[in-house]
Amino acid sequence: MSDSWRAVDAYIAGKLLGDDDALAAALANNEANGLPPIDVSAAQGKMLFLLAQIAGARRILEIGTLGGYSTIWLARALPEDGELVTLEIEEAHARVARANLDRAGVSDRVDIRVGPASDSLAAMTGAAPFDFVFIDADKQGNAHYVAEAIRLGRSGTTIVVDNVVREGGVLDPDSGDPRIDGTRALFDMLNADARIDATAVQTVGVKKWDGFILARVR
Ligand code: SAH
Ligand code: DHB
Ligand code: MG
């Protein structure tokens, strides 16, 4: 089945995404530097770009930079004077991301903060709220990251959380996998939180069977 999913993703990319030198170079540079191939797919990247534009985002927060593949998609959605803050724990990943963002011509709009995301977030205030937040780091932190996104957002802020289905793994309360437990804790938090409206969308494609949460701060 996943062969068909892959083929359809290639069809979608061929028809709707076009060739993109900066994005292709970013993936090649990630691989050359030994980064794991866990970036969002091209179709998901384009979706993030579209969602950020539909939201009219001028300030974007990303948690989990890796090599900046999703960062490039999101930064391109910003207006000239827009800003994207992206949080990454690994200096080696941030170094690769800086080169990729430079090549894509979006470095002027992107601020990479290196360190544990919870520390970087704790140092931030909601004075200039974020319009759009993409959460894609350690899954154990998911519930905390959404709480911080609400604190640093405003009414109407869009939140997307990646990898919340994991081939159905999300159903297992006894997986022993802290990433699954972290995502289940996020679903439990959203279930009880009156500050936010949320849904989750399942996806198949080059990243197999997974999904994302889409939420809006009330
Ligand atoms: N958003 C990227 C992929 C991110 S992969 C893309 O689609 O292109 C997840 C990243 O989160 C990894 O680079 C990992 O080092 C980082 N990460 C893991 N735990 C973290 C933490 N506690 N704080 C900040 N970043 C973290
Ligand atoms: C993993 C993390 C991701 O953000 C992703 O998109 C795929 C896999 C992981 O930690 O395995
Ligand atoms: Mg991810």
Side-chain angles (χ1 to χ4, degrees):
M1 193 59 202
S2 70
D3 280 349
S4 320
W5 299 345
R6 185 172 291 277
V8 173
D9 247 356
Y11 176 81
I12 291 169
K15 291 291 181 188
L16 305 181
L17 307 185
D19 290 328
D20 192 306
D21 290 346
L23 289 168
L27 293 180
N29 193 37
N30 286 356
E31 187 177 4
N33 283 279
L35 270 54
I38 57 175
D39 339 71
V40 295
S41 71
Q44 288 170 315
K46 179 80 177 271
M47 183 195 75
L48 291 172
F49 166 86
L50 288 167
L51 287 174
Q53 288 217 317
I54 290 165
R58 308 182 73 82
R59 283 179 53 76
I60 296 175
L61 172 65
E62 177 179 67
I63 307 178
T65 315
L66 191 65
Y69 181 81
S70 54
T71 320
I72 293 170
W73 278 110
L74 286 167
R76 286 176 172 173
L78 286 168
E80 201 59 17
D81 61 345
E83 192 191 6
L84 188 157
V85 177
T86 183
L87 311 181
E88 173 53 55
I89 197 168
E90 299 286 348
E91 172 56 40
H93 295 180
R95 196 173 322 115
V96 174
R98 272 183 214 108
N100 291 338
L101 295 165
D102 278 345
R103 198 185 299 98
V106 295
S107 295
D108 55 326
R109 273 169 270 174
V110 179
D111 176 3
I112 306 179
R113 299 196 188 157
V114 180
S118 53
D119 292 356
S120 300
L121 290 164
M124 296 161 75
T125 74
F130 289 102
D131 309 304
F132 190 98
V133 182
F134 177 49
I135 299 172
D136 188 22
D138 59 303
K139 312 311 174 191
Q140 299 90 309
N142 271 344
H144 178 64
Y145 297 151
V146 168
E148 288 290 74
I150 294 170
R151 180 177 69 83
L152 298 170
R154 54 162 171 83
S155 175
T157 291
T158 305
I159 302 173
V160 176
V161 187
D162 198 26
N163 311 120
V164 301
V165 174
R166 281 287 166 76
E167 311 235 24
V170 68
L171 290 181
D172 187 357
D174 306 309
S175 66
D177 181 342
R179 297 172 303 180
I180 299 285
D181 293 345
T183 294
R184 288 177 59 85
L186 172 58
F187 274 99
D188 289 341
M189 172 195 152
L190 293 172
N191 174 258
D193 201 317
R195 296 172 299 172
I196 191 163
D197 292 305
T199 189
V201 177
Q202 301 189 70
T203 55
V204 294
V206 291
K207 304 292 171 172
K208 301 188 194 162
W209 174 25
D210 210 331
F212 59 90
I213 281 173
L214 176 63
R216 178 186 178 277
V217 180
R218 279 187 190 155

